[in-house]
Amino acid sequence: MPRGFPKLFRRRTLLVVISLCLFTNTSDLAPVYAEEDKPNIVIILADDLGYGDLSCLNPESKIPTPRIDELAAAGMVFTDAHTPSSVCTPTRYGLLTGRYCWRTRLKQSVLLGFDRPLIEPGRATIASFLRAHGYATCAIGKWHLGLGWQNAEGKPVTDKDGTTNDPGVDYTKPITEGPLTVGFDYFFGIAASLDMAPYCYIENDRVTAIPTEPTEGQGFPASWRAGMRAKDFRHEEVVDRLAEAAERWLRQHKATRPHQPFFLYYSLTAPHTPVLPLPAFRGKSQAGLYGDFVVQVDATVGRLVDLLRELGYWENTILILTSDNGSTMTIRSEFQKYGHATNYIFRGQKSDIWEGGHRVPFIVTWPGGIPPGTRCDRAICLVDILPTVAEILGRPLPPGAAEDGVSFAPLLRDPDVNWRRPPFVMHSIQGYFAIRDGEWKLIECRGSGGWSLPENKVPKDAPAMQLYHLGRDIRETTNLYPAEHKRAAELLAKLRNIRGDQPVNKQSNE
């Protein structure tokens, strides 16, 4: 039996060990697991998947997601999970490091395909932590955290973020910084989003084929930027190619290292644009091509789960399924006609500081450790994953690691335990902040902070900030800031304390 959490244990001695793990400083603990008993860890990070896209979270969803619904029934559904940012790159940084991205040079927006690496040398990640504790580590899919591209002279090709065209990459040279330098043993994927050049696959630190063919930019639903493409790269095939890579790595791992625990970071490229569902999935939803693409995502998740079962890994695998931010389809006129609430009842969408920008699906399964069919309504953030993993293993994090994360391991044992997340911060594409403390949420701007309602469209007489009580107003319709100045001031002080009151330049990534 895998050494999971106490509810599934019959031996009282093990119950004592795990309880100590959950409520004691892990630095004082001996290893909880024998090497062969350590749980495998899989994180599936969907790209732009909305909370309301899943039928297990949205009873009125017009998209069938039976395989993800199976995960929800088999494990624990978190209804109040948040990304630290409402866009791609910052969330990925926060998930892997347990640190807010606005503490780095990236103060707004996202990186592009040729930008330099964002994760600092020596920064602990989930991958480096787990590798140090005996795990094989693999990253498949969308990276979007910058890469160490070189030019013909062997020098970095960019010294400033924001390059949209190829700045002179010599694709015959290895990538000097990337997944392999932050803790991953193996990588197969793409540089950034599927709508950003370069359009080529990368295996470890090399491209599999040099981008030599120009491709013109496409409008919605294809939606990709102009750039160079490798001959073996077709946008509509990428989801499947990545699934095959994940499956290939898992089979090889089983064949060569069957007793070594593994960490698989499976970063999907969908349902982010370009929206290109394969023919087999077209017409499978009542939400147009986007809905059909989500159906393909659901089937892709199912493929991986089936393989984990086939290889005998399922019972001792912790699998987390989540998304990097909310969906962007709320502003697409082509999509609105279907009447599907892609971000459920929440206000706003990807890029925004409102709930629709950062409240995301979060499902955890662990047959050996989490009772099936459970639900947790406590607030958590994706920066919490690294400290949670550390607590589950009973091992201390390196000094200075995951400075913004808090372990929610006790919730996996008992979703009703006396546990509450300390105040945490969300960040919008334009660089605006919100802080969540219990049911209260303060937004440090007048509007959405993103694409839904740019600052220049906010009424001039609108209050300077927004304050909502989410327990009474989950749709964020009534701004209490004018009437609750004292509470707002308290929250603002907490935000400034977390931020260190450092100057945050929303107009520059430097």
Side-chain angles (χ1 to χ4, degrees), residues 224-246:
W224 68 70
R225 298 167 175 83
M228 301 301 290
R229 179 179 64 83
K231 289 184 178 180
D232 66 344
F233 192 96
R234 298 287 183 276
H235 284 82
E236 62 273 19
E237 298 174 353
V238 171
V239 173
D240 260 12
R241 288 286 299 272
L242 297 178
E244 291 165 1

Side-chain angles (χ1 to χ4, degrees), residues 149-154 157 166 168-174 207 210:
W149 299 109
Q150 299 184 69
N151 62 19
E153 288 73 41
V157 296
D166 187 333
V169 173
D170 184 344
Y171 292 101
T172 67
K173 294 186 179 297
V207 299
I210 295 175

Side-chain angles (χ1 to χ4, degrees), residues 329-486:
M329 291 297 147
T330 56
I331 60 170
R332 299 281 187 184
S333 59
E334 304 93 329
F335 178 70
Q336 290 173 351
K337 63 183 179 183
Y338 297 105
H340 170 71
T342 184
N343 291 320
Y344 193 41
I345 61 175
F346 307 120
R347 186 181 186 185
Q349 59 153 16
K350 172 184 177 177
S351 80
D352 294 343
I353 203 66
W354 293 323
E355 292 291 287
H358 51 79
R359 188 182 287 233
V360 292
F362 197 94
I363 300 170
V364 187
T365 60
W366 185 12
I370 297 176
T374 49
R375 169 187 171 118
C376 183
D377 297 325
R378 308 296 180 86
I380 62 170
C381 185
L382 266 60
V383 295
D384 299 336
I385 294 177
L386 174 50
T388 300
V389 167
E391 185 164 346
I392 288 172
L393 294 182
R395 307 308 301 158
L397 287 168
E403 63 191 84
D404 296 307
V406 176
S407 171
F408 57 81
L411 297 177
L412 299 179
R413 182 177 61 90
D414 179 3
D416 297 319
V417 72
N418 184 20
W419 183 97
R420 173 177 151 173
R421 179 61 162 86
F424 62 98
V425 172
M426 289 75 66
H427 202 226
S428 79
I429 192 171
Q430 294 182 3
Y432 291 102
F433 288 82
I435 184 170
R436 173 76 181 274
D437 186 15
E439 296 293 344
W440 288 97
K441 177 181 177 182
L442 178 73
I443 297 175
E444 199 183 22
C445 67
R446 299 172 184 269
S448 71
W451 297 330
S452 288
L453 191 61
E455 193 71 12
N456 60 7
K457 292 186 179 180
V458 179
K460 292 183 178 180
D461 60 350
M465 298 186 192
Q466 301 168 68
L467 178 66
Y468 302 104
H469 188 281
L470 298 179
R472 298 191 294 262
D473 182 21
I474 193 61
R475 298 175 188 264
E476 297 175 287
T477 60
T478 304
N479 184 2
L480 300 176
Y481 179 78
E484 293 270 6
H485 279 295
K486 181 179 179 181

Side-chain angles (χ1 to χ4, degrees), residues 65-115:
T65 53
R67 301 310 308 270
I68 296 176
D69 293 353
E70 289 174 12
L71 292 179
M76 183 176 293
V77 175
F78 284 77
T79 63
D80 199 358
H82 298 263
T83 56
S85 171
S86 57
V87 283
C88 301
T89 299
T91 286
R92 293 160 195 278
Y93 177 91
L95 185 157
L96 288 176
T97 67
R99 184 175 187 250
Y100 295 133
C101 184
W102 45 263
R103 298 193 190 279
T104 74
R105 72 178 193 270
L106 189 68
K107 307 302 183 186
Q108 63 171 348
S109 194
V110 301
L111 298 185
L112 299 175
F114 297 105
D115 285 330

Side-chain angles (χ1 to χ4, degrees), residues 163-180:
T163 303
T164 56
N165 298 315
D166 187 333
V169 173
D170 184 344
Y171 292 101
T172 67
K173 294 186 179 297
I175 293 166
T176 59
E177 296 176 79
L180 299 191

